[in-house]
């Protein structure tokens, strides 16, 4: 099976020209919610979990061998760590690195005060106001990539922007990676659902970027979820290894539903999450010290009556702030939150949770925000309307993180005399000088007079969003891709598809 | 006219029994967005405005006389202040005080880490899903008081919860104050639309609480808006004086629309707002040093294309954080933001702005949050549905401000072994110990399975909110009020109404 990969001639090209780092540059400090004593205590408890409980690696003998060689206490598939061991291993992870797009002007800096917004990930369904909710397809997948590509506020093409269930489970990763390469020129994520699919994804990246460039630079990343509590299954740890071996970026993300897949108290859930993510990042560092990694956080709550997950809640937002503080102690780029909601539709409920989790992501100091646009119904659905509403709000966040400038020209005493007591500033010289950059102007938060709004049908924002995404898809223009490279990509996909029977479930 | 007030025999009663301070106790630090140098610079610019531009007091000779006597530079109605003068005057304002409810268990502490949530204020319209938007009436006014009274997350009855336009302009304040006294037992606000109406409001408070108690304690407050930029009209300054003379609380709030009633740059708008509020608070302190006052903030943006106000925007949220930092320097309780929106309906737009401004209010360190529930359409409308949605979210904020506890019992290493690797925590001993207080449970953010939700009509949260407020009004029970006191109140209202012709505009 692997033989199919090696035969490709790679004429892929390193991105040419000056690299312009895209993303959002935070100029305000993160919010420090917890005091240092509290953070120390959580770290202590994390060490206790690593030492006394440990983590299981199931179905991945290679990972177990790596841990044994690294000096961990391996019994069966259970791996325990002496105090400070994992912490010492993650130290080689870089605090910042560049994720390259095939368009060098769309490369992103991960780390420092930079924030990268990516679309939602992993929903089996899509929805829009016209046809409601239905299964995702490769066509929808492509549409969502196009919308992300066109938004000035999204910096990364994402990964499984929806699940293209019209394609075989074992082959769709090829079409997904190809769609990111063809319909966008931003960085993107590859497959993680098995080690082989991860290897295919990386191989396609080599075709696009050239083998040597990929060996030296991060061009693809993989979203590695664990089976919380405290289990890495072989598919995920195998994929993690594939990315680390290739010097590409595993985004290591526990999935801690406090009360279900983690303790019901947030402090303990954070300690668990920290243990899980440290082990994943450490595995990558043992395999290839200095390879890029992202420190993930996904702690949310459950409705304890129904057992269903809840998002953007008070407790999960608080968790993000604390995790942000902890991640800064490790000095590894942080992935946190996104525009989450459990609401089945675009309404006052969905936005509440979505805004709360997005805001927490930005103020807690995240560097990489997956699910920043489109997420709906506890990740079961990606909504076209919510996608553009969220993206519009990401624009507002770009403004927010600049804070309040106190540069000299921001102040004006004379314009008070110019406006006059009780007067207005519309025509003042100071206003005319500054109005263009003064405020973020939302495209969707319109404020017509009530009578006009009512006369025009009394539409809520979802209807305006519906018109917006359709217009965007109509205006979409594909970024040029070298036809020879595209041919190579297709040849590779063709060969790999022929090597496997279709699997549908 | 004033003679009518003095003749009343006041059998009002001081609230009996232990005073239990209601409100939200913040256990997390405020967010410090700006560095000290930036804050210093804004304060400098504020002093410059006070010295070089000043503030006009129009139609209030008494206020001008007070300023002259206090040593300010008064020319016509323009008042200018030497550097540091106003700052020295506001020092006597208390950093904390109690606003008493007639039910001592509903009294609230204003200041410290306490946050008081009040309903929306001042809308001429009300709306609900059944009948849409129409003018407010005293019946709606009473309904909104009842909803606030019943919410466990609202601590104060508010003031003009809607404008009862079915009553004469010059008499409705009597019915409004009476409704607060009768249908709720929480603290409330009185009239500010003229000095006489403020005096009537305070007089009614004396009937309810007893003259001596009112003289010594804060039982009523008045929301004093200026005519930004830099004007106090006589109605407002007259009302401010009335509250301060009576040892009651003016809530001094500029109305700065950056770009319209203030400079288009946020730093300059903050400097203006600070100048305006300092002068108002200082006036109260000159009149009665040590009387309570609230330092208000209302800085928002405008859509510069349409000239209409916009709310919960990136820039206005940032302004709140900076104003919070400045207010802490003055050590006077802060009023800030609320659940603002310009949206005409309950949708994903309204919640975005509303949540952003409410969150900023809490994290910037506000002590008194007016407009915390119901505000819609740039304050033109108060929505029944939004009222209960906002109130439900206030519950979540009560949880959020507790932060993440790291108390010993919050941690658990043994429950990981109990749940097992990859297992779940639903039945763990640790979960059973903690689940009841673990998460805020929203009454409105339901998360049924999609199929069930669709089958039940696919309702968005506004429809659930519609059912909720109706159920609340049906369950409402009036808190007992001494009939003799109520009689006195009505006699006072009757007399005052007879002393004036009806004025309708």
């Amino acid at each position: 099976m692997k033989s199919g990969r090696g035969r490709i001639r790679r004429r892929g090209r390193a991105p040419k020209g000056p690299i312009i780092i895209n993303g959002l540059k935070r100029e305000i400090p993160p919010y420090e919610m917890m005091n240092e004593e509290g953070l120390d205590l959580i770290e202590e408890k994390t060490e206790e979990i690593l030492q006394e409980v440990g983590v299981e690696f199931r179905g991945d003998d290679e990972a177990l061998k790596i841990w044994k060689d690294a000096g961990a206490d391996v019994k069966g598939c259970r791996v325990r760590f002496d105090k400070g061991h994992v912490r010492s291993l993650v130290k080689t992870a870089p605090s910042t690195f560049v994720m390259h797009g095939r368009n060098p002007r769309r490369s992103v800096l991960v780390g420092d005060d930079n924030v990268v917004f990516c679309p939602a990930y992993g929903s089996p369904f899509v929805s829009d106001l016209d046809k409601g909710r239905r299964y995702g397809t490769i066509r929808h997948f492509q549409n969502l990539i196009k919308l992300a590509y066109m938004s000035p506020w999204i910096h990364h093409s994402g990964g499984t922007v929806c699940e293209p269930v019209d394609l075989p489970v074992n082959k769709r990763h090829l079409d997904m990676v190809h769609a990111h390469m063809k319909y966008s020129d931003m960085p993107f994520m590859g497959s993680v659902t098995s080690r082989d699919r991860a290897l295919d994804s990386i191989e396609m990246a080599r075709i696009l970027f050239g083998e040597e460039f990929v060996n030296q630079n991060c061009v693809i990343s993989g979203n590695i979820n664990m089976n919380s509590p405290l289990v890495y299954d072989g598919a995920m740890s195998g994929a993690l290894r594939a990315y680390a071996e290739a010097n590409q970026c595993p985004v290591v993300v526990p999935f801690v539903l406090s009360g279900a897949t983690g303790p019901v108290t947030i402090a303990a859930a954070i300690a668990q999450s920290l243990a899980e993510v440290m082990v994943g990042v450490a595995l990558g560092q043992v395999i290839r010290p200095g390879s890029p990694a992202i420190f993930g956080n996904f702690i949310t709550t459950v409705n304890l009556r129904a057992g269903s997950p809840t998002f953007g809640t008070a407790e999960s937002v608080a968790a993000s702030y604390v995790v942000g503080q902890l991640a800064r102690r490790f000095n590894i780029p942080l992935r946190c939150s996104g525009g989450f909601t459990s609401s089945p539709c675009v309404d006052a409920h969905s936005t509440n949770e979505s805004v709360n989790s997005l805001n927490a992501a930005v103020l807690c100091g995240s560097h990489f925000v997956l699910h920043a646009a489109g997420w709906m119904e506890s990740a079961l659905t990606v909504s076209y309307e919510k996608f553009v509403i969220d993206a519009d709000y990401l624009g507002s966040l770009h403004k927010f993180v600049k804070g309040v400038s106190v540069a000299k020209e921001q102040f004006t005493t004379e314009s008070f005399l110019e406006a006059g007591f009780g007067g207005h500033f519309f025509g003042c010289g100071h206003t005319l000088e500054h109005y263009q950059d003064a405020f973020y102007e939302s495209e969707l938060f319109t404020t017509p007079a009530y009578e006009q709004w009512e006369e025009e049908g009394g539409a809520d924002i979802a209807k305006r969003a519906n018109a917006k995404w359709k217009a965007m898809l109509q205006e979409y223009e594909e970024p040029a891709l070298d036809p020879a490279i595209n041919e190579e990509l297709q040849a590779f996909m063709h060969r790999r598809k022929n090597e496997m029977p279709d699997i549908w479930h």
Side-chain angles (χ1 to χ4, degrees), chain A residues 203-442:
Chain A
E203 200 57 27
M204 288 175 75
R206 291 191 179 114
I207 296 172
L208 182 64
F209 287 94
E211 192 159 6
E212 192 42 37
F213 189 82
V214 172
N215 191 38
Q216 296 301 325
N217 296 282
C218 177
V219 302
I220 189 168
S221 49
N223 197 50
I224 308 295
N225 276 137
M226 66 253 19
N227 281 8
S228 301
L230 303 171
V231 173
Y232 277 83
D233 72 33
M236 282 290 162
S237 58
L240 190 161
R241 289 191 289 108
Y243 284 97
E245 286 158 11
N247 201 25
Q248 302 306 305
C249 179
V251 182
V252 184
V253 193
F255 182 65
V256 181
L257 301 176
S258 177
T261 65
V264 79
T265 50
I266 294 294
I270 294 171
Q272 171 193 337
S273 176
L274 189 57
E276 293 176 336
V277 69
M278 278 168 72
V279 168
V281 172
L283 179 62
Q285 294 305 307
V286 173
I287 291 166
R288 185 154 173 170
S291 60
I294 289 178
F295 192 105
N297 167 51
F298 191 113
I299 297 173
T300 195
T301 46
V302 295
N303 179 321
L304 288 164
R305 214 179 295 272
S308 54
T310 49
F311 296 95
T313 53
E315 301 83 10
S316 59
V317 164
S320 289
Y321 288 124
V322 176
V323 169
Q325 294 180 274
L326 290 165
R328 281 191 286 288
R329 289 183 162 202
F330 286 87
N331 204 18
I332 300 173
L334 171 67
R335 177 207 139 174
C336 210
S337 334
F340 298 150
T341 181
S342 64
S343 178
C345 60
V346 177
D347 67 351
H349 169 191
S350 68
T351 304
N352 176 304
E353 296 176 336
S354 209
V355 165
N356 270 321
S357 43
L358 267 176
N359 286 1
V362 170
L363 267 192
C364 86
S366 297
H367 303 96
F368 189 82
V369 182
L370 197 65
H371 308 300
W375 161 302
M376 189 119 99
E377 201 201 338
S378 309
L380 284 176
T381 304
V382 57
S383 152
Y384 278 87
E385 285 82 19
K386 187 161 180 294
F387 194 102
V388 294
I389 292 172
D390 288 344
D392 183 64
Y393 179 58
L394 298 179
S396 174
L397 285 173
H398 277 70
K399 190 72 192 331
F400 174 65
V401 299
K402 301 302 173 192
V404 174
S405 168
V406 290
K408 203 176 162 201
E409 70 279 3
Q410 298 286 310
F411 291 103
T412 170
T413 299
E414 61 280 9
S415 77
F416 290 102
L417 296 167
E418 197 184 342
F421 293 95
H424 68 75
F425 290 75
F426 285 124
C428 284
H430 181 76
T431 304
L432 297 176
E433 259 169 56
H434 292 279
Y435 80 94
Q436 279 182 312
D437 306 321
F439 310 133
Y440 173 69
E441 193 179 339
S442 161

Side-chain angles (χ1 to χ4, degrees), chain A residues 8-21:
Chain A
I8 298 285
R9 185 164 62 90
R10 296 181 196 88
R11 29 176 155 179
R13 298 182 188 160
K16 275 196 186 120
I19 291 181
I20 295 185
I21 302 303

